Amino acid sequence: MRRELSGGYELDDDRRRIDLDVVHAYVGGVSYWAKGRSREKMERAIAGSARVIGLYAPDGAQAGFLRVISDSATYAYLADVFVLDGHRGRGLGVELVREAVDTEPWKHMSWHLRTKDAQSLYARFGFHRPSERSLER
């Protein structure tokens, strides 16, 4: 998949295009959810994911990222979602998530995620608080 967005931005799920340095710098260095994650662990996480989607600026530089952890049939978990600061405020995060959760074959799966600050973004796509039957470890 490769999809053009307004302003010259682009989404692409080609793993070879991911700039691991940028992804690791944000996820392992800035994010609240995985600060301190090693580059090796980030590389393994990407390799083991069912899908990765990169967001690219008009000059081709990595501007955002997400990965999907899934059995590729019934269950999917959205992870490591980010858009770099200089690219926010353009609806790019919405398009990044839309591509992951609202396209075939992914749109019919049971989707899960965790966030402490982006509930309104994910609510647009039908995410809500889990039921009382949910457990975590």
Side-chain angles (χ1 to χ4, degrees), residues 13 15 44-53 66-73 75-77 106 109 111:
D13 63 358
R15 291 170 189 269
R44 286 193 336 252
I46 290 170
S49 295
R51 187 178 190 200
V52 297
I53 302 173
L66 67 69
R67 63 191 185 92
V68 176
I69 304 163
S70 178
D71 64 8
S72 298
Y75 177 91
Y77 184 90
W106 307 98
M109 294 193 190
W111 278 94

Side-chain angles (χ1 to χ4, degrees), residues 91 93-95 97-98 101-102 118-127:
V94 170
E95 291 305 316
V97 173
R98 183 186 322 281
V101 305
D102 276 352
Q119 290 84 355
S120 63
L121 166 65
Y122 298 113
R124 295 180 187 193
F125 298 99
F127 285 90

Side-chain angles (χ1 to χ4, degrees), residues 52-85:
V52 297
I53 302 173
L55 169 67
Y56 301 94
D59 66 358
Q62 190 91 46
F65 173 83
L66 67 69
R67 63 191 185 92
V68 176
I69 304 163
S70 178
D71 64 8
S72 298
T74 62
Y75 177 91
Y77 184 90
L78 199 55
D80 296 333
V81 181
F82 73 88
V83 173
L84 294 175
D85 287 341

